[in-house]
Amino acid sequence: MERRKTREISVGGVKIGGDAPISVQSMTKTDTRDVHKTVAQIQCLREAGCEIVRVAIPDMLACERFGEIRERAALPLVADIHFDHRLAIEAIENGADAIRINPGTIGGQRKLGNIVAKAKDRGIPIRIGINSGSLERDLLRKHGRATPEAMVESALRSIRFMEALDFHEVKVSLKSSDVVTTIEAYRLISREVDYPLHLGVTEAGTLVSGTIKSSIGIGLLLYEGIGDTIRVSLTGDPVEEVRVGYGILRALGIRQRGPDIISCPTCGRCEIDLIPMADEVERRLRHLTHPIRVAVMGCVVNGPGEAREADVGIAGGRGGGLLFREGKVLRRCSQGELIQSLIEEIEKMVKKR
């Protein structure tokens, strides 16, 4: 797949667009006014591999506390603003590395112009974040509903306004909870502008349903070469958003971070309780950042061959199983030894690399 060429911008020390790697973002789910909890969650996200964090700014107190969070957080922070443009200006004053605004809720171009002037003065980018659920009323009347075309028209309206102010540090997102609408909106905008695109399916849902929607929407666009940074939106722990985000990139061969676990779905030939074993292996390897392919298979006859592309793996059988590396059997283990033997072999491989 050939990636669409876009302008490069910087959010803190992270490059977005151009030849920069596709970055993984998330958003805090704590009350921003609680500095301790918010900083702690940002640290958890950082440990999971998150590269940029967005923080909601609902009021002036949150904006004030944002300045304290900025001083203590070790990741670039994007201030998420709705309704009150003064919050954006104050967040910039308090050290925001970028601002995210929604044209449908910010209150018109005069207020947007004030935000642009402050961002330009501080040299930080603005994400124009279009959501299908909060489009401008005139666009809804014109298009009848929140169509992909309406979303793109909203984005272009703000982009052209910013360009007229000689502001080009722009990133764009066009999100809907409907996967097809999201895909079509990004396809359309990618033909109109060369600004970097932030991909996501908004309000995607819980871990399973949200992962499905995000994998289809984000994954398909990335495969078409569209997108420069991603955020998976899940109802749950934001660390899971980061894990799913890297999983999407890994599945497409775009970025390799952490273990890629290959496990069979099990069938009537499986003679070992494989499902909890696979879950335990995944849990025990979550701390790894080194890319490694690990297989957890249920059949000693076919397992090593079917998972030949894995770096290391186990294949279960009656009462025990095989530990194998690159399709070659290393030794037979009892069922109680299988997981620990696998973990020890992985640790040895990671140290050598």
Side-chain angles (χ1 to χ4, degrees), residues 85-94 96 99 111-126 165 167:
H85 77 289
R86 295 170 298 178
L87 296 174
I89 293 170
E90 192 67 21
I92 295 172
E93 290 283 359
N94 286 337
I99 294 291
K111 294 176 180 179
L112 177 57
N114 291 336
I115 299 172
V116 170
K118 179 61 69 172
K120 188 175 181 181
D121 180 62
R122 293 299 179 93
I124 68 167
I126 294 175
L165 297 174
F167 186 81

Side-chain angles (χ1 to χ4, degrees), residues 97-142:
D97 296 294
I99 294 291
R100 184 266 182 171
I101 57 97
N102 183 339
T105 66
I106 207 62
Q109 291 190 338
R110 181 184 63 80
K111 294 176 180 179
L112 177 57
N114 291 336
I115 299 172
V116 170
K118 179 61 69 172
K120 188 175 181 181
D121 180 62
R122 293 299 179 93
I124 68 167
I126 294 175
R127 169 153 76 96
I128 299 171
I130 308 300
N131 271 14
S132 62
S134 53
L135 284 178
E136 296 95 318
R137 291 179 181 177
D138 65 309
L139 293 178
L140 289 175
R141 287 194 298 269
K142 176 180 177 181

Side-chain angles (χ1 to χ4, degrees), residues 154-167:
S154 176
L156 290 175
R157 177 184 288 177
S158 292
I159 288 169
R160 302 312 180 205
F161 176 74
M162 291 183 180
E163 289 174 338
L165 297 174
D166 194 28
F167 186 81

Side-chain angles (χ1 to χ4, degrees), residues 258-287:
D260 180 14
I261 296 178
I262 303 166
S263 59
C264 73
T266 77
C267 68
R269 288 185 293 272
C270 187
E271 297 180 305
I272 196 167
D273 195 6
L274 191 75
I275 295 173
M277 293 176 68
D279 289 339
E280 182 178 348
V281 169
E282 183 177 57
R283 178 181 58 79
R284 293 181 65 176
L285 296 181
R286 278 183 173 176
H287 67 285

Side-chain angles (χ1 to χ4, degrees), residues 60-267:
M60 279 297 176
L61 179 57
C63 204
E64 178 184 323
R65 299 287 167 79
F66 176 82
E68 299 177 47
I69 295 165
R70 173 62 288 169
E71 291 178 0
R72 295 170 55 183
L75 287 174
L77 299 185
V78 179
D80 187 81
I81 310 296
H82 286 274
F83 305 114
D84 190 343
H85 77 289
R86 295 170 298 178
L87 296 174
I89 293 170
E90 192 67 21
I92 295 172
E93 290 283 359
N94 286 337
D97 296 294
I99 294 291
R100 184 266 182 171
I101 57 97
N102 183 339
T105 66
I106 207 62
Q109 291 190 338
R110 181 184 63 80
K111 294 176 180 179
L112 177 57
N114 291 336
I115 299 172
V116 170
K118 179 61 69 172
K120 188 175 181 181
D121 180 62
R122 293 299 179 93
I124 68 167
I126 294 175
R127 169 153 76 96
I128 299 171
I130 308 300
N131 271 14
S132 62
S134 53
L135 284 178
E136 296 95 318
R137 291 179 181 177
D138 65 309
L139 293 178
L140 289 175
R141 287 194 298 269
K142 176 180 177 181
H143 293 272
R145 60 183 179 85
T147 64
E149 292 78 8
M151 295 170 68
V152 170
E153 186 170 345
S154 176
L156 290 175
R157 177 184 288 177
S158 292
I159 288 169
R160 302 312 180 205
F161 176 74
M162 291 183 180
E163 289 174 338
L165 297 174
D166 194 28
F167 186 81
H168 304 277
E169 296 299 301
V170 173
K171 179 175 58 169
V172 184
S173 65
L174 304 98
K175 298 184 181 182
S176 171
S177 58
D178 180 77
V179 175
V180 174
T181 299
T182 298
I183 292 169
E184 289 304 318
Y186 278 108
R187 283 173 173 167
L188 289 172
I189 197 70
S190 70
R191 299 172 197 148
E192 297 288 340
V193 299
D194 64 353
Y195 294 107
L197 298 179
H198 170 109
L199 301 186
V201 177
T202 195
E203 300 159 355
T206 54
L207 181 59
V208 174
S209 63
T211 295
I212 293 168
K213 289 181 181 179
S214 298
S215 297
I216 295 171
I218 295 173
L220 181 56
L221 288 165
L222 290 174
Y223 187 74
E224 294 178 359
I226 297 170
D228 302 280
T229 184
I230 66 172
R231 187 257 172 131
V232 174
S233 298
L234 300 176
T235 305
D237 187 345
V239 167
E240 297 295 343
E241 298 183 351
V242 177
R243 291 178 179 144
V244 174
Y246 276 109
I248 293 170
L249 296 178
R250 184 169 55 242
L252 291 168
I254 294 172
R255 289 185 70 179
Q256 301 298 324
R257 186 186 191 278
D260 180 14
I261 296 178
I262 303 166
S263 59
C264 73
T266 77
C267 68

Side-chain angles (χ1 to χ4, degrees), residues 295-316:
V296 182
M297 308 299 287
C299 178
V300 294
V301 177
N302 297 321
E306 291 176 346
R308 194 177 302 277
E309 68 273 24
D311 296 303
V312 62
I314 52 175

